[in-house]
Amino acid sequence: MNIMRFVVPKSLVEYVTVDNTIRQAFEKMRFHRYVAIPVIDGDGKYVGTLRNDDIFEYFLENGSFDTRSAERERVSEIVDRSYSLPVYHDASMDELIEKVKEHNFVPVVDDRGCFVGIILRRDILNFLFKHYNKNEKRGVIDGG
């Protein structure tokens, strides 16, 4: 199955860039009520996922919740590059399901590593639920 049918395209996804300040990222995440947001670089390549935890840790390490320092520091300083590794646009459904078990969204990249969009966990769960119900009604699913 082609996983691209589940992709929310980049044009519809809120993200931040490595050049955004920590405060800009924090404000965007707060406005949209996100706990995590994709980070891309100037070439459009996926860099990592910025989480609320990364921002809180930044403030704790500075010993203050003063946002003035967050206006000087860039997202590139705190983004966790290994937290949510992307899948390629041609990944298998099995690979995608493994990723959505761990994260609310899975970043999708093309062959060059450029950010294409995200796949939401809820979309995969909805698809699997519909598939499960369809098979259950036909008696295909084993109850054991």
Side-chain angles (χ1 to χ4, degrees):
M1 168 173 292
N2 186 346
I3 67 163
M4 292 301 287
R5 70 181 284 185
F6 300 108
V7 170
V8 177
K10 177 182 175 181
S11 61
L12 299 177
V13 174
E14 293 295 332
Y15 59 86
V16 295
T17 69
V18 291
D19 293 328
N20 283 128
T21 66
I22 294 170
R23 180 169 181 173
Q24 288 170 325
F26 174 69
E27 293 294 338
K28 183 177 263 194
M29 290 172 70
R30 195 176 100 198
F31 178 80
H32 293 286
R33 297 182 179 193
Y34 290 164
V35 296
I37 193 166
V39 179
I40 63 173
D41 68 13
D43 295 325
K45 294 189 178 185
Y46 174 75
V47 173
T49 296
L50 183 67
R51 301 169 295 153
N52 280 346
D53 289 352
D54 300 322
I55 294 172
F56 293 143
E57 187 175 312
Y58 166 79
F59 284 120
L60 288 172
E61 285 178 0
N62 285 328
S64 169
F65 283 91
D66 178 18
T67 56
R68 284 179 288 205
S69 65
E71 291 171 355
R72 293 186 298 273
E73 302 286 336
R74 302 283 171 214
V75 166
S76 60
E77 301 296 320
I78 65 169
V79 64
D80 187 341
R81 296 171 187 267
S82 64
Y83 174 71
S84 181
L85 298 176
V87 295
Y88 285 94
H89 62 94
D90 59 353
S92 69
M93 193 66 173
D94 289 344
E95 185 179 352
L96 177 61
I97 290 171
E98 283 300 314
K99 295 277 188 176
V100 298
K101 288 188 328 188
E102 302 298 322
H103 304 291
N104 290 330
F105 67 85
V106 177
V108 181
V109 297
D110 64 14
D111 291 333
R112 299 170 300 145
C114 289
F115 183 68
V116 173
I118 61 173
I119 297 176
L120 300 170
R121 176 190 288 164
R122 73 166 183 245
D123 292 342
I124 299 302
L125 289 174
N126 285 335
F127 170 78
L128 293 173
F129 183 70
K130 286 177 190 174
H131 181 71
Y132 175 82
N133 279 340
K134 193 184 309 179
N135 286 335
E136 188 175 59
K137 287 178 185 173
R138 286 189 273 167
V140 175
I141 296 178
D142 180 24

